[in-house]
Amino acid sequence: MQNVTILVDVQNIYYTTRHSFGRSFDYNAFWREITADRNVVKAIAYAIDRGDEKQRQFQNILRAIGFEVKLKPFIQRSDGSAKGDWDVGITIDALEYGTHSDVLVLASGDGDFDLLAKTLTEKHHTRVEVYGVEALTAQSLIQTATHFTPIDNNLLLK
């Protein structure tokens, strides 16, 4: 049985599935697919905390599925822009847990993770499986991943 670490960039998945399909990602279907015949070492969903009730309910659903939920506060800058980026946190956890796993599943289309995927596969011999919306996933990440699975109707809520 393979050991798997699962890391989800919640903001990236939310916005890319909404933009491309007008629908939400089905975390239950995703969990069933990636954990079949695998031992979960760690599963983390990285999100931004805006403090609203609907978001808290969603975070509780993620916890009930099996994810640890890591939150960063939503930061509104004085110029109107917003900040809420988990790239460094995801990378640190990927290197910590992914090096002790046979497989690292990363749900994100962010091209910043291509170097991470390359490091895990080449230096640590960890298989990196990336899930993302194909049209909005960086080609460098798709090419660097051991396997890329495009998010489609099977992984979207009806």
Side-chain angles (χ1 to χ4, degrees):
M1 186 173 282
Q2 291 180 324
N3 287 325
V4 63
T5 293
I6 306 156
L7 306 178
V8 179
D9 183 348
V10 172
Q11 303 308 112
N12 181 279
I13 295 301
Y14 174 80
Y15 287 110
T16 59
T17 56
R18 286 301 231 187
H19 177 79
S20 293
F21 304 107
R23 291 165 58 195
S24 294
F25 188 62
D26 186 339
Y27 283 89
N28 282 300
F30 174 67
W31 185 269
R32 283 190 303 272
E33 183 172 312
I34 61 175
T35 61
D37 299 320
R38 289 177 167 171
N39 175 52
V40 177
V41 172
K42 195 72 168 172
I44 307 171
Y46 303 84
I48 303 306
D49 186 13
R50 293 177 184 254
D52 66 58
E53 184 57 31
K54 187 175 179 184
Q55 197 176 48
R56 272 193 284 282
Q57 291 171 358
F58 169 67
Q59 293 159 4
N60 287 334
I61 290 168
L62 290 175
R63 288 182 186 100
I65 291 169
F67 289 98
E68 172 186 342
V69 177
K70 289 192 176 184
L71 299 171
K72 269 192 178 180
F74 176 76
I75 298 170
Q76 187 78 40
R77 296 183 181 127
S78 59
D79 67 359
S81 65
K83 179 162 177 44
D85 188 335
W86 267 108
D87 289 5
V88 173
I90 291 170
T91 300
I92 289 169
D93 287 344
L95 291 171
E96 181 177 344
Y97 299 108
T99 56
H100 302 291
S101 301
D102 303 305
V103 180
L104 177 98
V105 174
L106 174 65
S108 179
D110 190 332
D112 290 340
F113 294 122
D114 59 358
L115 183 58
L116 171 64
K118 183 177 181 176
T119 299
L120 285 170
T121 56
E122 291 181 2
K123 291 189 177 177
H124 301 286
H125 309 290
T126 302
R127 179 179 171 84
V128 177
E129 298 176 2
V130 172
Y131 282 71
V133 174
E134 191 164 21
L136 299 174
T137 298
Q139 283 300 307
S140 61
L141 182 58
I142 292 172
Q143 293 167 354
T144 308
T146 309
H147 182 76
F148 174 74
T149 301
I151 294 172
D152 59 17
N153 284 325
N154 296 331
L155 292 173
L156 297 171
L157 292 172
K158 307 300 180 231

